[in-house]
Amino acid sequence: LGYLGLLHARQARFALARECLTTGEALLDNVADRISLGILLCARAEAEYLADQEQAANDALARADQLAKELPDVEPESEFGKALARSRSVLGAPP
């Protein structure tokens, strides 16, 4: 749902993007998959940025950054690490 939400955002279908991302976030919260949740939050940050929602984009990126700090195995070359780097680049945030 994270990837689908980001795809919708890239096609300027922001309501559908948010629906996918919100559903995905709820599902991942329920199963406690924090790495996948972090990746989804990166997708949410990019989607909100594309929707010109700067505060929401920054909030999602901050949540993803916090998760990365809490998890012991988030390396720069991991899927989560790459998602963080991409989101930071898109949002113009420092690495």
Side-chain angles (χ1 to χ4, degrees):
L1 288 169
Y3 296 116
L4 180 59
L6 185 53
L7 177 64
H8 282 309
R10 288 178 178 157
Q11 296 175 344
R13 295 189 300 239
F14 303 116
L16 287 172
R18 287 188 185 101
E19 183 179 324
C20 288
L21 293 163
T22 299
T23 301
E25 188 173 341
L27 290 169
L28 292 170
D29 275 338
N30 283 334
V31 297
D33 184 346
R34 296 171 52 133
I35 290 176
S36 294
L37 177 59
I39 294 167
L40 183 134
L41 288 170
C42 291
R44 179 181 290 281
E46 293 181 51
E48 295 294 357
Y49 176 82
L50 291 170
D52 291 324
Q53 299 298 313
E54 185 177 338
Q55 186 61 52
N58 288 328
D59 290 347
L61 181 57
R63 287 186 58 211
D65 277 329
Q66 184 60 41
L67 271 178
K69 290 175 187 171
E70 293 171 4
L71 297 170
D73 53 353
V74 178
E75 299 294 329
E77 294 304 313
S78 69
E79 186 177 2
F80 188 6
K82 289 178 182 178
L84 278 170
R86 185 177 50 253
S87 294
R88 288 181 187 130
S89 177
V90 169
L91 274 64

